[in-house]
Amino acid sequence: MKTTYFRFLPKNCNFAGFMKRIIPLFILLLSVSSCSFFKASSNGQPTNFNKIQKSTDYTFKLQMAEKYYLNKDYNHAQILYDDLYRVMKGSEHFEDIWYKYAYCAYYLKDYINAENLFKGFVEAFPNSPKSDEMDYMRAYCFWKQSPKYQLDQTNTTKAMGFMQAFIAQHPNSDKVKEATEIIEKCRAKLEEKDFEAAKLYFNLRETNPAYLKAASLTFNLLMNAYPDSQFSDEYKLYIIKSDYLYAVKSLEEKKKARLEQVLTDVNDFNDRFPDSKLKQEAREYQDLANNSIKQL
């Protein structure tokens, strides 16, 4: 019976010649595959990541961590720096390892861990020329965790506080301008949240007139908390509106005193915001309050 092993070959195929051509090609493919799987560095060390991580040659491991870091492969760099951080404490390389280890966490958006590492660096190396940068980055991590104004603003408050502390401790730093800008952004976000809370009381006025009193008090607190706000005239107008609507819904014996409070509000508005675009609207409430008093 004829063998079927080589039926795929042409009838007049020179098998020996065919094999002479295919064998070198096969060897070349094996060689390329082997190199890609198990590369070697210039000093003969393997660069397969698992073998790098298991290596006890910490000089080599540090070199590879640097290479990953420079190539922005922060996942692999962080793993190696984590090993090095544990075994190279006190060495001449430890400060730089800590510095880059902290930044790996930051670039990987692990801001909680990054903040702890930046803080720890400042405590461990208070005289380092990088300590003011690390101090700033610690505060900046809180800013990166600051959510939309509708959510809890604990990290926003912390970011603002740490940025203020940074400016006080490093008044000559080139980061002072950026820190000041972030403080303003934090303050604006907190103000927006407080404004929405105050406005909520005003918007609920139809369900219970007591919300108007709460709105007036909350907008007063808002003005006191942000005395330099560009929206102060708007907050004052909300106070005027709240006090007027609360007055007209009050018992007869209390209306006059509460309407007179509206007139006091308007006078205060005119004194504080003589150029406000909302001045005409404030005057309308003044007229409404005067007319209501006349009708009592």
Side-chain angles (χ1 to χ4, degrees):
M1 185 174 68
K2 294 183 179 180
T3 181
T4 59
Y5 295 139
F6 303 106
R7 285 184 178 176
F8 67 95
L9 296 173
K11 288 183 179 180
N12 298 320
C13 174
N14 182 338
F15 183 76
F18 175 79
M19 292 304 293
K20 283 182 180 179
R21 293 177 182 176
I22 198 68
I23 288 173
L25 179 61
F26 183 71
I27 292 172
L28 177 62
L29 288 172
L30 279 177
S31 175
V32 172
S33 174
S34 174
C35 287
S36 63
F37 175 74
F38 194 76
K39 296 178 183 177
S41 64
S42 59
N43 62 4
Q45 288 278 12
T47 55
N48 174 276
F49 184 75
N50 288 333
K51 291 189 177 294
I52 296 169
Q53 189 179 5
K54 293 175 182 177
S55 174
T56 56
D57 183 345
Y58 296 112
T59 300
F60 168 68
K61 186 177 283 190
L62 179 58
Q63 290 174 351
M64 294 308 299
E66 297 285 318
K67 183 177 180 180
Y68 284 123
Y69 186 86
L70 290 174
N71 289 330
K72 299 182 179 182
D73 184 351
Y74 300 115
N75 279 303
H76 286 114
Q78 184 184 51
I79 293 169
L80 297 182
Y81 281 130
D82 184 61
D83 291 342
L84 294 164
Y85 179 85
R86 300 170 193 277
V87 299
M88 298 191 76
K89 289 182 179 179
S91 74
E92 60 180 330
H93 302 292
F94 189 49
E95 180 179 335
D96 190 58
I97 288 169
W98 197 327
Y99 177 87
K100 290 173 181 173
Y101 185 35
Y103 267 112
C104 282
Y106 171 76
Y107 289 131
L108 292 171
K109 300 183 179 181
D110 182 4
Y111 298 123
I112 294 175
N113 189 33
E115 184 269 322
N116 282 324
L117 287 168
F118 288 133
K119 174 188 175 184
F121 183 98
V122 174
E123 293 172 348
F125 308 102
N127 299 319
S128 169
K130 297 175 180 176
S131 63
D132 60 336
E133 177 190 348
M134 299 289 95
D135 218 6
Y136 174 82
M137 289 305 300
R138 182 196 180 191
Y140 195 73
C141 283
F142 284 114
W143 170 241
K144 293 294 285 184
Q145 296 176 82
S146 173
K148 295 179 180 179
Y149 76 88
Q150 298 95 330
L151 303 176
D152 178 73
Q153 294 301 308
T154 298
N155 282 321
T156 306
T157 303
K158 286 183 178 180
M160 187 163 64
F162 280 113
M163 285 296 178
Q164 289 169 335
F166 170 81
I167 292 172
Q169 293 169 15
H170 309 281
N172 299 318
S173 171
D174 58 1
K175 292 288 186 181
V176 167
K177 182 180 178 181
E178 292 177 33
T180 302
E181 291 172 353
I182 289 173
I183 289 169
E184 292 304 314
K185 290 177 182 177
C186 289
R187 185 175 284 113
K189 189 180 287 191
L190 294 173
E191 181 180 351
E192 187 172 12
K193 184 177 180 66
D194 291 344
F195 170 65
E196 290 299 323
K199 195 165 67 172
L200 179 61
Y201 286 123
F202 184 81
N203 292 339
L204 290 171
R205 63 189 180 278
E206 297 300 332
T207 61
N208 189 332
Y211 281 121
L212 289 165
K213 184 64 174 176
S216 177
L217 290 170
T218 308
F219 277 110
N220 266 300
L221 291 173
L222 187 60
M223 289 188 70
N224 292 331
Y226 307 97
D228 300 322
S229 172
Q230 60 179 316
F231 305 110
S232 290
D233 59 341
E234 183 179 355
Y235 303 155
K236 188 63 180 181
L237 184 61
Y238 267 106
I239 293 171
I240 293 169
K241 290 179 181 179
S242 299
D243 284 348
Y244 174 76
L245 294 172
Y246 185 63
V248 297
K249 293 184 178 183
S250 300
L251 297 172
E252 288 298 317
E253 62 268 23
K254 294 184 178 182
K255 277 187 178 181
K256 185 177 180 181
R258 290 174 179 174
L259 288 167
E260 287 174 346
Q261 178 59 48
V262 176
L263 298 177
T264 301
D265 292 338
V266 175
N267 288 333
D268 183 50
F269 181 97
N270 292 332
D271 290 341
R272 296 179 64 175
F273 314 108
D275 301 319
S276 172
K277 294 179 181 179
L278 302 174
K279 191 173 182 179
Q280 179 57 40
E281 194 171 351
R283 187 176 292 116
E284 290 172 4
Y285 279 96
Q286 184 180 39
D287 294 340
L288 287 170
N290 278 324
N291 291 334
S292 296
I293 291 172
K294 290 177 183 178
Q295 293 174 11
L296 290 177

